[in-house]
Amino acid sequence: MPSDPMPRFAVLGQPVAHSLSPRIHRRFGEACGIALDYRAIELAPEALPARLAAFHAEGLGGANVTLPLKELAARACRELSDAARLSGAVNTLIRREDGWLGDNTDGAGLVADLRRLGVRLAGARVLLLGAGGAARGVVPALFDAGIASLTVANRTAARAEALAHDLQSCGDIATCGFEALAGADGFDLILNATSAARSGRALALPATLPAPDAAAYDLSYGETAQPFLAWAASAGIARAADGLGMLVEQAAEAFQRWHGVRPDAAAVLAELRAERV
């Protein structure tokens, strides 16, 4: 009898050729003794619904979803997990017989990495910069982790207000435009979920934002995170990190949902960090 074909998985986005997800999942598979075929597939937003239907018909086992497709994927799924429903964004597609279950592991990945870094979340005052799919994906997990308050600032204040309205069941969310941050201070954790660096826009932030011993974290990683991390250093924030750890941790969450076992994220993260020293 012929053996079953190797399970196929993918990461979907635009652009996506740079993604580390194929490497991360292959390393997870090797560590867990699970053979899999994981590839990066570039998709234009308008092509997503039809391609998702085709992927399901072709037997794709699951997929990760990255920018700019997370909110579109939520609308294209047959069913949503609580995390995806609350956030309105999907980063993980789980195969069901009748279609795709959309999940969001970004929040769990962020919280896991922040805790690994020793960042206190219980009782923290948090400032979240940005109100797109990346921001929406982490809000429920932040409240679950016990933060005291959340302020969402966005270039367009109306989009921050829409996020607060959609996620009001998670907790009280204050909103403002970036210009209103000039008089703000005392944040224990400042998270950057904007695409400013990716699109070439400057992100001018006042140095008064952080509380003593504050932490700063960019949900992106690599060069995209450097402008925000440079601002954090100039503002005297000693604990600052990019989102490489979040990427690996959210991938471990997705891997567990597909294969029933959670891999050792720390080992893969250490390997990736060592290459960037």
Side-chain angles (χ1 to χ4, degrees):
M1 294 287 290
S3 60
D4 291 336
M6 187 178 296
R8 293 184 299 119
F9 298 85
V11 57
L12 315 175
Q14 189 185 51
V16 77
H18 67 285
S19 175
L20 292 173
S21 292
R23 178 176 175 183
I24 291 169
H25 281 272
R26 288 168 191 154
R27 290 288 291 110
F28 285 165
E30 291 167 3
C32 296
I34 297 173
L36 55 87
D37 178 347
Y38 189 111
R39 303 180 184 184
I41 300 176
E42 182 153 338
L43 282 183
E46 61 271 17
L48 181 66
R51 291 296 298 275
L52 286 187
F55 288 147
H56 191 274
E58 294 164 5
L60 190 72
N64 294 121
V65 182
T66 188
L67 296 174
L69 305 177
K70 293 183 178 184
E71 291 170 86
L72 291 171
R75 297 196 288 270
C77 288
R78 184 176 182 86
E79 182 184 357
L80 296 175
S81 69
D82 287 344
R85 177 181 52 79
L86 283 170
S87 65
V90 160
N91 81 329
T92 301
L93 296 170
I94 302 166
R95 182 181 179 83
R96 295 288 186 262
E97 287 302 315
D98 57 352
W100 294 110
L101 165 63
D103 198 359
N104 197 308
T105 65
D106 279 339
L110 172 64
V111 168
D113 197 43
L114 288 171
R115 286 174 171 159
R116 181 186 62 81
L117 294 168
V119 176
R120 178 183 60 84
L121 290 172
R125 290 188 62 202
V126 179
L127 172 62
L128 176 60
L129 305 171
R136 285 173 172 266
V138 302
V139 169
L142 289 171
F143 278 105
D144 286 346
I147 64 171
S149 66
L150 177 66
T151 298
V152 177
N154 195 62
R155 184 169 57 91
T156 304
R159 195 170 191 194
E161 293 165 4
L163 179 152
H165 176 270
D166 294 345
L167 296 177
Q168 59 185 307
S169 64
C170 296
D172 292 332
I173 303 173
T175 64
C176 66
F178 286 149
E179 68 282 354
L181 291 175
D185 60 15
F187 292 104
D188 303 303
L189 173 62
I190 302 171
L191 301 169
N192 182 34
T194 72
S195 58
R198 192 177 293 107
S199 59
R201 296 194 307 272
L203 188 62
L205 299 169
T208 56
L209 291 176
D213 198 32
Y217 192 98
D218 197 305
L219 272 61
S220 298
Y221 62 91
E223 292 184 6
T224 305
Q226 292 312 305
F228 175 73
L229 297 181
W231 167 81
S234 71
I237 300 176
R239 292 185 298 163
D242 72 4
L244 184 62
M246 173 182 168
L247 175 72
V248 177
E249 291 286 357
Q250 65 80 25
E253 294 283 336
F255 192 95
Q256 182 178 39
R257 285 154 174 75
W258 293 334
H259 305 291
V261 58
R262 197 182 195 285
D264 180 7
V268 175
L269 177 58
E271 177 183 312
L272 295 175
R273 286 284 186 209
E275 294 176 356
R276 283 164 168 72
V277 173

Short mmCIF file of all heavy atoms in Angstrom, two decimals, residues 27-28 35 41 69 102 106 125-126 148 152 159 161 164-165 170 176 193-194 198 209 228 240 246 252 271 273:
data_model
loop_
_atom_site.label_atom_id
_atom_site.label_comp_id
_atom_site.label_asym_id
_atom_site.label_seq_id
_atom_site.Cartn_x
_atom_site.Cartn_y
_atom_site.Cartn_z
N ARG A 27 11.71 23.04 11.79
CA ARG A 27 12.50 22.72 12.97
C ARG A 27 11.62 22.10 14.05
O ARG A 27 12.04 21.15 14.72
CB ARG A 27 13.20 23.98 13.50
CG ARG A 27 14.30 24.49 12.61
CD ARG A 27 15.53 23.59 12.64
NE ARG A 27 16.20 23.67 13.94
CZ ARG A 27 16.23 22.70 14.84
NH1 ARG A 27 15.61 21.56 14.60
NH2 ARG A 27 16.86 22.85 15.98
N PHE A 28 10.42 22.62 14.22
CA PHE A 28 9.49 22.02 15.18
C PHE A 28 9.20 20.57 14.78
O PHE A 28 9.17 19.68 15.64
CB PHE A 28 8.17 22.80 15.20
CG PHE A 28 8.22 24.12 15.92
CD1 PHE A 28 7.20 25.06 15.76
CD2 PHE A 28 9.26 24.45 16.77
CE1 PHE A 28 7.22 26.26 16.42
CE2 PHE A 28 9.30 25.66 17.46
CZ PHE A 28 8.26 26.58 17.27
N ALA A 35 6.99 14.62 10.16
CA ALA A 35 7.35 15.05 8.81
C ALA A 35 6.25 15.94 8.25
O ALA A 35 5.06 15.61 8.37
CB ALA A 35 7.56 13.84 7.91
N ILE A 41 3.41 31.06 0.68
CA ILE A 41 2.60 31.30 -0.51
C ILE A 41 2.14 32.75 -0.49
O ILE A 41 1.45 33.18 0.44
CB ILE A 41 1.38 30.36 -0.56
CG1 ILE A 41 1.83 28.90 -0.59
CG2 ILE A 41 0.50 30.69 -1.76
CD1 ILE A 41 0.69 27.90 -0.53
N LEU A 69 -3.47 39.98 5.52
CA LEU A 69 -4.62 39.11 5.29
C LEU A 69 -5.37 38.69 6.54
O LEU A 69 -6.38 37.99 6.45
CB LEU A 69 -4.15 37.83 4.56
CG LEU A 69 -3.37 38.04 3.26
CD1 LEU A 69 -2.93 36.68 2.71
CD2 LEU A 69 -4.23 38.77 2.24
N GLY A 102 -10.90 29.39 11.97
CA GLY A 102 -9.90 30.43 12.13
C GLY A 102 -9.58 30.66 13.60
O GLY A 102 -10.48 30.79 14.43
N ASP A 106 -1.63 34.92 18.14
CA ASP A 106 -0.71 36.04 18.34
C ASP A 106 -0.67 36.48 19.81
O ASP A 106 0.40 36.73 20.35
CB ASP A 106 -1.12 37.23 17.48
CG ASP A 106 -0.66 37.11 16.03
OD1 ASP A 106 0.29 36.34 15.78
OD2 ASP A 106 -1.25 37.77 15.16
N ARG A 125 0.01 49.09 33.32
CA ARG A 125 -0.60 50.08 32.43
C ARG A 125 0.06 49.93 31.07
O ARG A 125 1.27 50.08 30.94
CB ARG A 125 -0.39 51.50 32.94
CG ARG A 125 -1.15 51.87 34.19
CD ARG A 125 -0.97 53.36 34.45
NE ARG A 125 -1.53 54.17 33.36
CZ ARG A 125 -1.16 55.42 33.10
NH1 ARG A 125 -0.23 56.02 33.81
NH2 ARG A 125 -1.73 56.09 32.09
N VAL A 126 -0.74 49.62 30.04
CA VAL A 126 -0.19 49.27 28.74
C VAL A 126 -0.62 50.29 27.69
O VAL A 126 -1.79 50.68 27.62
CB VAL A 126 -0.65 47.85 28.31
CG1 VAL A 126 -0.09 47.49 26.94
CG2 VAL A 126 -0.21 46.83 29.35
N ALA A 148 -3.86 46.15 33.99
CA ALA A 148 -4.77 47.05 34.70
C ALA A 148 -5.51 47.97 33.74
O ALA A 148 -6.68 48.29 33.97
CB ALA A 148 -4.00 47.88 35.72
N VAL A 152 -5.07 52.54 23.50
CA VAL A 152 -4.72 52.27 22.11
C VAL A 152 -4.60 53.61 21.38
O VAL A 152 -5.54 54.40 21.35
CB VAL A 152 -5.79 51.40 21.41
CG1 VAL A 152 -5.44 51.19 19.95
CG2 VAL A 152 -5.90 50.05 22.12
N ARG A 159 -9.98 54.68 14.01
CA ARG A 159 -9.71 53.24 13.93
C ARG A 159 -9.45 52.67 15.32
O ARG A 159 -9.83 51.54 15.62
CB ARG A 159 -8.55 52.96 12.99
CG ARG A 159 -8.46 51.49 12.58
CD ARG A 159 -7.48 51.24 11.49
NE ARG A 159 -7.63 49.89 10.98
CZ ARG A 159 -6.75 49.27 10.21
NH1 ARG A 159 -5.64 49.90 9.85
NH2 ARG A 159 -6.97 48.05 9.79
N GLU A 161 -10.81 53.84 18.01
CA GLU A 161 -12.14 53.81 18.62
C GLU A 161 -12.93 52.59 18.16
O GLU A 161 -13.66 51.97 18.95
CB GLU A 161 -12.90 55.09 18.29
CG GLU A 161 -12.29 56.33 18.94
CD GLU A 161 -12.80 57.62 18.33
OE1 GLU A 161 -13.68 57.56 17.45
OE2 GLU A 161 -12.31 58.70 18.72
N ALA A 164 -11.69 49.63 20.11
CA ALA A 164 -12.22 49.63 21.48
C ALA A 164 -13.67 49.20 21.52
O ALA A 164 -14.09 48.47 22.42
CB ALA A 164 -12.07 51.03 22.08
N HIS A 165 -14.45 49.63 20.54
CA HIS A 165 -15.86 49.23 20.48
C HIS A 165 -15.99 47.73 20.25
O HIS A 165 -16.76 47.05 20.92
CB HIS A 165 -16.56 50.00 19.37
CG HIS A 165 -17.99 49.59 19.16
ND1 HIS A 165 -18.35 48.58 18.29
CD2 HIS A 165 -19.15 50.03 19.73
CE1 HIS A 165 -19.66 48.42 18.33
NE2 HIS A 165 -20.17 49.29 19.19
N CYS A 170 -13.63 42.71 26.39
CA CYS A 170 -12.37 42.31 27.02
C CYS A 170 -12.05 43.17 28.24
O CYS A 170 -11.45 42.68 29.20
CB CYS A 170 -11.23 42.43 26.00
SG CYS A 170 -11.36 41.32 24.59
N CYS A 176 -6.85 57.19 21.56
CA CYS A 176 -6.44 58.54 21.18
C CYS A 176 -5.67 58.47 19.88
O CYS A 176 -5.25 57.40 19.42
CB CYS A 176 -5.57 59.18 22.27
SG CYS A 176 -3.98 58.36 22.53
N ALA A 193 2.52 48.05 17.40
CA ALA A 193 1.89 47.18 16.41
C ALA A 193 1.58 47.96 15.14
O ALA A 193 0.73 47.57 14.36
CB ALA A 193 0.59 46.59 16.98
N THR A 194 2.29 49.08 14.93
CA THR A 194 2.08 49.87 13.72
C THR A 194 2.91 49.33 12.57
O THR A 194 3.87 48.57 12.77
CB THR A 194 2.46 51.35 13.93
OG1 THR A 194 3.89 51.45 14.01
CG2 THR A 194 1.83 51.90 15.20
N ARG A 198 7.57 49.80 8.25
CA ARG A 198 7.41 49.02 7.02
C ARG A 198 7.00 49.89 5.85
O ARG A 198 7.36 49.63 4.70
CB ARG A 198 6.37 47.91 7.26
CG ARG A 198 6.32 46.86 6.17
CD ARG A 198 5.33 45.76 6.52
NE ARG A 198 5.77 44.99 7.67
CZ ARG A 198 5.22 45.07 8.86
NH1 ARG A 198 4.21 45.89 9.09
NH2 ARG A 198 5.67 44.34 9.87
N LEU A 209 6.61 58.97 27.82
CA LEU A 209 5.61 57.88 27.90
C LEU A 209 5.94 56.82 28.95
O LEU A 209 5.04 56.38 29.67
CB LEU A 209 5.45 57.22 26.53
CG LEU A 209 4.80 58.05 25.43
CD1 LEU A 209 4.81 57.28 24.10
CD2 LEU A 209 3.37 58.41 25.82
N PHE A 228 11.55 51.72 16.32
CA PHE A 228 10.88 51.76 17.62
C PHE A 228 11.84 51.42 18.74
O PHE A 228 11.83 52.06 19.81
CB PHE A 228 9.70 50.78 17.63
CG PHE A 228 9.01 50.68 18.97
CD1 PHE A 228 8.22 51.71 19.43
CD2 PHE A 228 9.17 49.55 19.76
CE1 PHE A 228 7.59 51.63 20.67
CE2 PHE A 228 8.55 49.46 20.99
CZ PHE A 228 7.75 50.49 21.45
N ALA A 240 13.88 46.26 26.25
CA ALA A 240 13.20 46.42 24.96
C ALA A 240 13.55 45.22 24.08
O ALA A 240 14.67 44.72 24.10
CB ALA A 240 13.61 47.71 24.28
N MET A 246 7.87 36.39 19.93
CA MET A 246 6.43 36.25 19.71
C MET A 246 6.16 35.41 18.48
O MET A 246 5.27 34.55 18.48
CB MET A 246 5.80 37.63 19.57
CG MET A 246 4.34 37.61 19.16
SD MET A 246 3.70 39.29 18.95
CE MET A 246 2.12 38.94 18.16
N ALA A 252 4.50 28.01 17.78
CA ALA A 252 4.40 26.82 18.63
C ALA A 252 2.94 26.54 19.00
O ALA A 252 2.50 25.38 19.05
CB ALA A 252 5.25 26.99 19.88
N GLU A 271 18.26 29.52 18.56
CA GLU A 271 18.95 29.28 17.29
C GLU A 271 18.83 30.51 16.38
O GLU A 271 19.82 30.95 15.79
CB GLU A 271 18.35 28.05 16.62
CG GLU A 271 18.92 27.73 15.25
CD GLU A 271 18.21 26.54 14.62
OE1 GLU A 271 18.06 25.51 15.32
OE2 GLU A 271 17.81 26.64 13.46
N ARG A 273 18.10 33.65 17.27
CA ARG A 273 18.78 34.80 17.88
C ARG A 273 20.29 34.72 17.66
O ARG A 273 20.94 35.73 17.38
CB ARG A 273 18.49 34.85 19.38
CG ARG A 273 17.09 35.31 19.77
CD ARG A 273 16.93 36.78 19.62
NE ARG A 273 15.64 37.24 20.13
CZ ARG A 273 15.00 38.28 19.66
NH1 ARG A 273 15.52 39.00 18.66
NH2 ARG A 273 13.85 38.65 20.16
#
